[in-house]
Amino acid sequence: MGMVGGSLDAFIGAVHRRAAVLDNEIELVCGSFSSNPEKSRQTGHALYLPPNRVYDTFEDMILREKELPEGERMDFVTIVTPNHMHFAPAKMALENGFHVVCDKPMTLNLAEARELKRIVEETGLLFCLTHNYTGYPMVKEARAMVKAGKLGKIRKVIVEYPQGWLAQLVEATGQKQASWRTDPAKSGAVGGVGDIGTHAENLAEYITGLKITELCADLTIFVEGRLLDDDANMLLRFDNGAKGLLTNSQIANGEENPFSIRVYGEFGGLEWHQMEPNTLIYKTNEAGARLIRTGVGDLSPEAQANTRLPAGHPEAFLEAFANIYTAFAQTLRARLNGTEPDPIRLDFPGVEEGVRGMAFIDTVVASDKSDQKWTKFIE
């Protein structure tokens, strides 16, 4: 793995590095960790990389790594920069023969996303988008239960993602994570919707297997002086007739990261909370609520494949993130070896989910500006 972004003072870069190495499938061999060459070199030194594999720019890294012999050069690039710096390194990596892992949202805007999809399809290379919440074993179990018909036809989906860390104008203090997320030039057309709302959209569609067809969105900037949305509320319509609610907020004072989803069908319902990730609640009118636990009982092959520890040993955020990386790594290794990958390991988000996330953002913005009740999902 080569990395673009993720210097020592970045949050998500360290998460990616820890997740990537958890299952001994991936080794970090090079990087361009910052637009500041000195910070990049400091990061490389702290990560024990040889100086000649720490690059001042991502362009230099891609071109020089390409010259190295197979087996020595990087096999893929991971991009962990702010949103505005996703497209250029992803495009260049693909065009020079390198597979790509990219943090979400995939690009700054929908036009870039569509172009990236075209390049992925043209090159035939692997592309992974780290919607890490799809990596939890109980999320896999929920998806498998819906697919198996345990809930019957899906009727209602409620997905909530409240945070409280931007309840004040934190970006004015120079806090790095807040500064770029609230800057339209770096974050894009939206703030909270791009940062966490896309996770909610992706999880709703991943678990149910449905697609949002229309929505009615209301975006708000509550904190005076902020440039992008910090609160969003939406009504959803799905392609099977199901209805949904999606809310994301970063001004929900006192909230940490209680991402949750409830799915209701004609026969039963499911409920999952990210802060209690090893429990899935299955509900029916006849039998009440039953707790399904990671590692306990006859779980789906998908849930079992993404579980490392015996029951009662909690697995959480880093392990779910690692499940995405391991699925990607084993799929890539199969391709490099000329073998067929395990079908279970093909289950990681890709460029299609990336385009859909950017289309979701554009649809939400259009709906918020519109006087019409419903806005069709932009394809």
Side-chain angles (χ1 to χ4, degrees), residues 113-178:
R114 287 170 171 162
E115 174 64 7
L116 209 54
K117 179 186 175 187
R118 184 193 65 79
I119 296 169
V120 170
E121 291 173 347
E122 187 177 273
T123 61
L125 296 170
L126 295 179
F127 186 96
C128 172
L129 188 72
T130 51
H131 273 301
N132 54 292
Y133 295 106
T134 65
Y136 282 94
M138 289 297 94
V139 168
K140 302 290 188 187
E141 183 68 12
R143 176 179 165 91
M145 290 177 68
V146 170
K147 193 174 182 180
K150 295 288 182 66
L151 273 62
K153 182 180 179 180
I154 302 303
R155 294 171 169 171
K156 183 85 170 181
V157 181
I158 303 170
V159 57
E160 302 169 279
Y161 202 153
Q163 295 177 335
W165 72 291
L166 291 179
Q168 283 77 39
L169 196 66
V170 182
E171 57 267 38
T173 69
Q175 208 265 28
K176 180 178 178 180
Q177 301 305 320

Side-chain angles (χ1 to χ4, degrees), residues 282-303:
Y282 175 47
K283 308 173 183 180
T284 66
N285 288 336
E286 295 75 23
R290 177 169 73 89
L291 301 186
I292 301 172
R293 296 279 293 165
T294 301
V296 178
D298 187 22
L299 299 176
S300 66
E302 292 81 6

Side-chain angles (χ1 to χ4, degrees), residues 234-284:
M234 305 170 209
L235 299 174
L236 309 175
R237 286 176 170 174
F238 292 88
D239 56 0
N240 77 329
K243 304 298 175 66
L245 301 171
L246 187 156
T247 178
N248 67 262
S249 181
Q250 294 180 310
I251 50 83
N253 207 309
E255 295 292 357
E256 298 173 17
N257 202 61
F259 186 20
S260 67
I261 186 168
R262 287 174 281 165
V263 179
Y264 300 101
E266 56 187 329
F267 304 142
L270 291 172
E271 183 174 346
W272 180 78
H273 295 263
Q274 192 270 156
M275 289 177 64
E276 294 289 341
N278 295 284
T279 299
L280 178 66
I281 306 171
Y282 175 47
K283 308 173 183 180
T284 66

